Amino acid sequence: QVQLVESGGGSVQAGGSLRLSCAASGYSFDNTWMAWFRQVPGKEREGVAAISSSSRMTDYADSVKGRFTISRDNAKNTVYLQMNTLKPEDTATYYCAAARPYTFGVGLGTSQYPYWGQGTQVTVSS
């Protein structure tokens, strides 16, 4: 059974930083694209960052390029999202997601990710 558990959310002032973590279990983590999405009530879920199984490929939403960094540690079955220079518009619930193992070139397409965590709230105040 696939399990994704996010942690690291919280409240921070604009310009601050947070690091989200997602611990994965129940599948072949090191052969799977992973991603972070976010959602604000009343809006569609938005892809933030994605990373290939080997970390060779990453993909970012334009709104976070240069501020957010996705990384993974396959030995720990964990994916991270380092968020710097946070803005109030980054406020959202952040979700970790896993693609099906051995799927290539996944990127940030929501439909490519069948497995989701429960979400962690990030609030950025001005």
Side-chain angles (χ1 to χ4, degrees):
Q1 181 180 356
V2 176
Q3 282 197 319
L4 302 172
V5 180
E6 301 101 334
S7 61
S11 297
V12 64
Q13 288 198 332
S17 299
L18 282 174
R19 188 195 197 201
L20 305 183
S21 299
C22 172
S25 62
Y27 68 103
S28 182
F29 178 83
D30 53 358
N31 290 295
T32 302
W33 274 76
M34 298 294 296
W36 288 94
F37 291 78
R38 65 187 181 187
Q39 190 169 23
V40 175
K43 293 190 175 182
E44 288 190 0
R45 194 165 291 187
E46 172 192 24
V48 175
I51 187 167
S52 65
S53 56
S54 64
S55 302
R56 289 179 185 172
M57 290 183 283
T58 57
D59 195 9
Y60 292 93
D62 288 342
S63 58
V64 306
K65 281 181 181 176
R67 300 188 299 122
F68 290 12
T69 302
I70 189 170
S71 62
R72 64 192 294 161
D73 185 339
N74 286 351
K76 295 181 179 180
N77 282 11
T78 302
V79 62
Y80 305 97
L81 185 67
Q82 178 67 44
M83 305 185 293
N84 298 328
T85 320
L86 282 160
K87 304 176 180 180
E89 51 263 44
D90 294 319
T91 295
T93 301
Y94 283 71
Y95 297 90
C96 174
R100 287 187 173 84
Y102 307 104
T103 304
F104 301 99
V106 175
L108 285 172
T110 306
S111 63
Q112 301 291 330
Y113 293 89
Y115 308 113
W116 295 84
Q118 81 288 352
T120 185
Q121 178 67 34
V122 171
T123 303
V124 184
S125 59
S126 58

